[in-house]
Amino acid sequence: MAQGDHLVVDRRGGLYTHHGIDIGDGTVVHYLEGETIVRTSKEYFRRGEPIRLRDYADCDPADITIERALSRLGEQRYNVLFNNCEHFATWCKTGRANSSQVERSLAIGAVGGLLLGGPLVLPALAAAGALGVQNLLSQAQQSADPVQAERLLQEARTSLLVTETQLQQQLAQIRQEAESWHKTAQTALQRDREDLARAALEKRYPLKRQMQNLELQLAELRQLLSRI
């Protein structure tokens, strides 16, 4: 490893990667996930994981790379789709911000998981019409016009908000049905009908699983909404 290198380490067992720039004195400048651009020790950056190097066929000299990295220390404009740690590191090396993780995630419908820390498919995004939302996010990322990018992001937000309402309604209906079976089981026990109580609880069990799944989807969707 040398001064100005683009360093890469795995996070969460390889679910996603974290990126930074080697300053050459044992420190790394990197975008702390979801927070700010910091200069830390290499050990803090790697968190026990092996460090890999990102190779470039064409990039700027090390002194320019380091100058760029240091110029943005303290920045707090993290955005997983447009300004994440990989965007920062590639910009330092080439003057152009790019994130292969985001591009891959958009291609497979895994944006929500990336926002949560890894390229996992987001069920709520699929429920929202994954291709439509993905296309809007992809177009916004690629747009050179800030006004157009914001319009596309607003369309994506609107679609996700509609889905949030639909999921909330579905969750309320399932919760009501589960509560009904729970009351039925309680009534059966009061009448010493364990067989009926057991049957009612068996009906309630899959509803609880559905509720947990919907709650997870809502949490992921809200996390996505908070980041765009």
Side-chain angles (χ1 to χ4, degrees):
M1 286 175 282
Q3 191 179 51
D5 277 346
H6 177 163
L7 308 182
V8 184
V9 293
D10 288 335
R11 288 284 194 263
R12 297 192 182 182
L15 285 177
Y16 69 106
T17 53
H18 187 55
H19 302 252
I21 297 297
D22 190 343
I23 302 303
D25 61 355
T27 65
V28 180
V29 175
H30 55 114
Y31 224 132
L32 200 61
E33 294 98 322
E35 298 182 24
T36 185
I37 294 177
V38 295
R39 183 175 184 175
T40 68
S41 69
K42 198 170 290 184
E43 285 303 309
Y44 181 89
F45 170 79
R46 68 192 296 262
R47 295 186 189 175
E49 297 288 345
I51 295 176
R52 307 189 300 276
L53 300 183
R54 168 74 62 86
D55 292 325
Y56 287 83
D58 182 29
C59 64
D60 294 318
D63 58 336
I64 293 178
T65 297
I66 291 173
E67 181 181 354
R68 285 174 178 152
L70 296 176
S71 72
R72 290 175 60 181
L73 278 174
E75 177 184 298
Q76 295 180 322
R77 297 200 303 272
Y78 184 91
N79 184 297
V80 73
L81 295 177
F82 307 111
N83 194 35
N84 64 33
C85 60
E86 188 178 7
H87 286 115
F88 168 71
T90 57
W91 174 80
C92 290
K93 291 289 290 185
T94 68
R96 299 180 301 277
N98 179 64
S99 175
S100 58
Q101 291 185 100
V102 169
E103 292 171 2
R104 287 195 304 270
S105 296
L106 287 169
I108 65 173
V111 176
L114 184 62
L115 290 168
L116 295 173
L120 306 174
V121 174
L122 174 63
L125 185 58
L131 287 177
V133 174
Q134 289 167 41
N135 287 337
L136 290 169
L137 293 173
S138 181
Q139 290 174 41
Q141 183 190 26
Q142 296 168 13
S143 176
D145 182 351
V147 175
Q148 182 189 41
E150 179 56 34
R151 179 181 61 77
L152 292 166
L153 285 175
Q154 186 56 49
E155 288 183 32
R157 291 188 196 102
T158 299
S159 179
L160 291 171
L161 286 170
V162 170
T163 299
E164 180 184 28
T165 299
Q166 293 172 342
L167 290 175
Q168 287 174 326
Q169 292 172 346
Q170 187 178 356
L171 178 60
Q173 291 173 353
I174 294 175
R175 183 176 285 125
Q176 183 177 6
E177 185 177 354
E179 181 62 24
S180 176
W181 282 116
H182 178 66
K183 290 180 179 179
T184 298
Q186 288 181 320
T187 301
L189 285 174
Q190 290 170 358
R191 298 180 180 181
D192 295 324
R193 291 296 306 272
E194 291 187 10
D195 56 332
L196 294 180
R198 190 179 302 110
L201 291 175
E202 287 176 356
K203 292 284 189 180
R204 181 173 179 259
Y205 179 73
L207 296 173
K208 287 183 64 178
R209 295 291 299 272
Q210 291 180 48
M211 287 165 56
Q212 291 170 352
N213 184 46
L214 286 170
E215 287 167 350
L216 175 61
Q217 290 186 48
L218 277 167
E220 291 175 333
L221 187 147
R222 287 163 180 162
Q223 183 81 348
L224 177 56
L225 278 167
S226 72
R227 297 290 184 90
I228 64 174

